[in-house]
Amino acid sequence: VCQFVCVSQVCVCVCLQEDAQDLDAVTLAQSYFDLKEYDRAAYFLRDCCSPKAYFLYMYSRYLSGEKKKDDETVDSLGETLPQIQIQLVPYFSWQTFVVLPKQL
């Protein structure tokens, strides 16, 4: 967020005004982002205007969508698995499977 500027062996930390205004929101959003709470992170960044806040906002929204997509995929597979097993029962006799001991 801040940049160090050195002139005549004097270094000064310079922050952009928009970065300074968004510092609290970005810090809070980074905490939520680290906890994988992407929707919450995006919520607190929605009114920020710094480039870092905008990037974190967009990336949080993207990861939130990916997370929801993965959750829905797992849920839909979990619901159809018992139906698939019922359909396969006539084709396989579960008693024919033999468990072989591990060979060393």
Side-chain angles (χ1 to χ4, degrees):
V1 174
C2 296
Q3 296 176 346
F4 286 98
V5 177
C6 296
V7 178
S8 300
Q9 298 179 349
V10 176
C11 293
V12 179
C13 180
V14 177
C15 294
L16 297 174
Q17 184 179 1
E18 58 188 16
D19 288 339
Q21 290 174 346
D22 297 341
L23 185 61
D24 290 338
V26 169
T27 303
L28 179 62
Q30 282 178 333
S31 298
Y32 282 127
F33 188 88
D34 292 340
L35 295 171
K36 295 183 173 48
E37 293 286 338
Y38 305 119
D39 286 329
R40 291 177 197 232
Y43 175 80
F44 286 102
L45 294 168
R46 70 189 185 284
D47 295 327
C48 296
C49 57
S50 69
K52 183 175 183 178
Y54 180 74
F55 172 78
L56 191 57
Y57 171 75
M58 295 303 289
Y59 195 51
S60 295
R61 291 193 58 198
Y62 168 75
L63 289 178
S64 173
E66 290 295 310
K67 186 176 178 183
K68 288 176 185 175
K69 183 177 73 170
D70 290 344
D71 290 345
E72 290 172 3
T73 302
V74 170
D75 290 342
S76 67
L77 289 177
E79 293 172 359
T80 59
L81 188 58
Q83 295 170 355
I84 293 172
Q85 289 175 341
I86 290 170
Q87 293 172 359
L88 292 177
V89 167
Y91 298 107
F92 297 98
S93 173
W94 300 107
Q95 297 173 355
T96 60
F97 289 106
V98 177
V99 178
L100 300 174
K102 288 185 176 179
Q103 296 179 359
L104 299 175

